[in-house]
Amino acid sequence: MHGRGPPSASTTSVSPTGDRTGLEDSSLRPQPDVRVGSSTNALVPISMAERSVGAGWWQWAGLTAVVAAAVAGDQVTKYVVRSHLRLDESVKVLGPFTIHRVQNSGIAFGLFESATAIVTVLTALAVGWMLVFFARGGSRHPVLPAALGLLIGGSLSNLVDRVRLGHVTDFVDLRWWPAFNLADSFIVVGVAILLLALVAADRPPTQPKRHLDVAAR
């Protein structure tokens, strides 16, 4: 006479209605194959693991270097112009290019001159937004430190002048365009680099040309 042993991993019981139900041990059920880079439900694989696009230390270092160079270059040139030229005085350099000292209380190229306080607040908000954007996505493209560095550096330099002097000094005069300074140029170049980077990123990858194997025919 054999004694009853412990219940097996899989047993069959009879329900009150006479139906047989299988009871399986959960430890013997097939477990999902969880791998690094898989989706959260561990069943739908993805092609590659997601990586952080926030700015790293070297992106911040590059941004800081570009911002410092832009602010220093703009401030030095403005100081030289203010030291050697009186207000509205000009010096002809070459062709239409003239150094002409003027004051601008608005934004780039003399726009919104009568709204200094509003321009100052908007510039500060724009600089803050660009810093937040860079912190969250500074590693998306290698040109972002340079492009945003020029934008932030030019905006900061003009912002410092508006807070300290109540106006910015413009001196680059091409006769056919309103006078501007290096900070304005940095802002325009930074925007241009960003646009070019966005266009290049949205361009679909080129498909490799398929070569016909004539010998196989």
Side-chain angles (χ1 to χ4, degrees):
M1 181 174 180
H2 301 284
R4 293 187 178 180
S8 60
S10 177
T11 59
T12 304
S13 62
V14 181
S15 63
T17 59
D19 298 333
R20 293 177 178 271
T21 59
L23 302 178
E24 296 183 355
D25 191 353
S26 60
S27 62
L28 299 181
R29 294 176 183 174
Q31 299 297 323
D33 185 11
V34 181
R35 300 179 181 178
V36 176
S38 62
S39 57
T40 54
N41 62 8
L43 297 177
V44 182
I46 59 177
S47 59
M48 60 186 300
E50 295 182 358
R51 64 181 182 87
S52 174
V53 295
W57 70 268
W58 75 268
Q59 283 99 355
W60 281 110
L63 178 76
T64 303
V66 175
V67 169
V71 172
D74 181 64
Q75 289 295 317
V76 167
T77 54
K78 288 175 179 176
Y79 175 78
V80 171
V81 170
R82 288 194 299 264
S83 300
H84 291 81
L85 295 178
R86 295 186 299 273
L87 188 62
D88 207 27
E89 185 179 358
S90 61
V91 176
K92 188 174 180 61
V93 179
L94 180 65
F97 177 41
T98 304
I99 302 297
H100 181 201
R101 179 186 171 184
V102 295
Q103 292 181 356
N104 175 22
S105 58
I107 61 175
F109 310 117
L111 301 176
F112 304 106
E113 291 189 19
S114 58
T116 306
I118 297 177
V119 170
T120 302
V121 173
L122 292 179
T123 302
L125 292 176
V127 170
W129 179 87
M130 285 185 283
L131 288 173
V132 173
F133 172 79
F134 185 78
R136 294 181 176 179
S139 63
R140 289 180 181 272
H141 200 284
V143 303
L144 280 179
L148 285 179
L150 291 173
L151 273 169
I152 295 174
S155 301
L156 273 180
S157 188
N158 282 337
L159 180 62
V160 168
D161 288 343
R162 291 190 185 97
V163 173
R164 185 169 61 94
L165 305 173
H167 62 269
V168 297
T169 300
D170 291 336
F171 55 90
V172 181
D173 193 351
L174 301 177
R175 299 300 181 187
W176 51 271
W177 191 260
F180 57 95
N181 52 44
L182 286 187
D184 299 334
S185 302
F186 295 151
I187 294 173
V188 172
V189 173
V191 171
I193 294 176
L194 278 179
L195 291 178
L196 290 176
L198 291 176
V199 171
D202 291 339
R203 183 179 301 174
T206 56
Q207 298 293 335
K209 296 182 179 180
R210 302 179 62 182
H211 300 282
L212 296 177
D213 190 357
V214 182
R217 292 180 171 233

